[in-house]
Amino acid sequence: MSEDTTGRPTRRGNSPVFTAVLTLLGAFLLYLAIPNVGPAVRAARADGQHGVFTAKTVDCVQHPGHESCSWTGEFRSHDGTIHRARVALYGSDRDALRPDMRTEAVDVGRPNQVYGPGGSREWVFTALLLLAGAAILAFPYAGWLRRPVRRSAPGEAAARGASEREPAVRH
């Protein structure tokens, strides 16, 4: 911190590079989250075309310490208006289905994915992305997020002011 003309500490602003990096990061997180708000809410409520998912193949990815699997197959709406091939059933794992097994599903409008009738909790991640992006964007621009500068006690300022005004006496 530097000092102003009265000797009080002042807070310097963020550097322009730091502000630009935070702005880009916050904007990127919002760019990822905002288009997913509608589908995430529809998926959470299982709000869409109800139908049947027929499992075809299971695709698995190995991660350190665990495996993530998803069933791919086809979806047909109950009213017959929607038939989609090569869609994944969100939240399905290796042991959930078998080839040609059918299960209830909901198409919420995602291009490559359908959901079980109980919905999903995918909205939590979308909400966290929104909050993080907004907070990161607000930090360099919102003065109310900045820590207040430590103010000196009233007696301290008066004492410092008096000593500065009095000339030094030399003997």
Side-chain angles (χ1 to χ4, degrees):
M1 286 194 183
S2 61
E3 293 183 359
D4 66 7
T5 57
T6 64
R8 288 189 217 129
T10 59
R11 187 172 207 283
R12 296 186 315 179
N14 295 329
S15 76
V17 173
F18 182 71
T19 300
V21 168
L22 285 182
T23 301
L24 289 173
L25 179 62
F28 180 67
L29 292 178
L30 291 177
Y31 169 79
L32 293 175
I34 289 172
N36 291 311
V37 170
V41 170
R42 285 193 303 274
R45 297 175 36 197
D47 182 21
Q49 285 287 334
H50 289 258
V52 175
F53 174 80
T54 305
K56 296 297 180 190
T57 61
V58 65
D59 299 311
C60 297
V61 177
Q62 296 288 330
H63 299 286
H66 77 286
E67 176 181 69
S68 178
C69 297
S70 179
W71 280 90
T72 304
E74 63 182 39
F75 173 83
R76 274 190 205 275
S77 63
H78 288 307
D79 64 6
T81 58
I82 299 173
H83 176 249
R84 295 178 44 208
R86 294 186 304 276
V87 294
L89 179 61
Y90 177 85
S92 60
D93 60 12
R94 177 189 295 275
D95 300 325
L97 301 168
R98 292 180 312 279
D100 294 323
M101 186 174 173
R102 295 177 175 206
T103 187
E104 290 292 313
V106 180
D107 180 2
V108 299
R110 295 240 187 218
N112 301 316
Q113 198 161 280
V114 294
Y115 295 84
S120 83
R121 293 191 185 138
E122 159 177 57
W123 66 270
V124 173
F125 183 71
T126 303
L128 289 174
L129 273 180
L130 278 172
L131 288 173
I136 289 170
L137 268 178
F139 179 74
Y141 301 107
W144 56 270
L145 283 177
R146 295 190 179 133
R147 284 187 288 154
V149 175
R150 182 185 162 269
R151 304 282 182 205
S152 57
E156 237 178 68
R160 187 174 54 240
S163 66
E164 289 173 1
R165 279 183 256 133
E166 294 175 10
V169 178
R170 293 192 178 185
H171 293 110

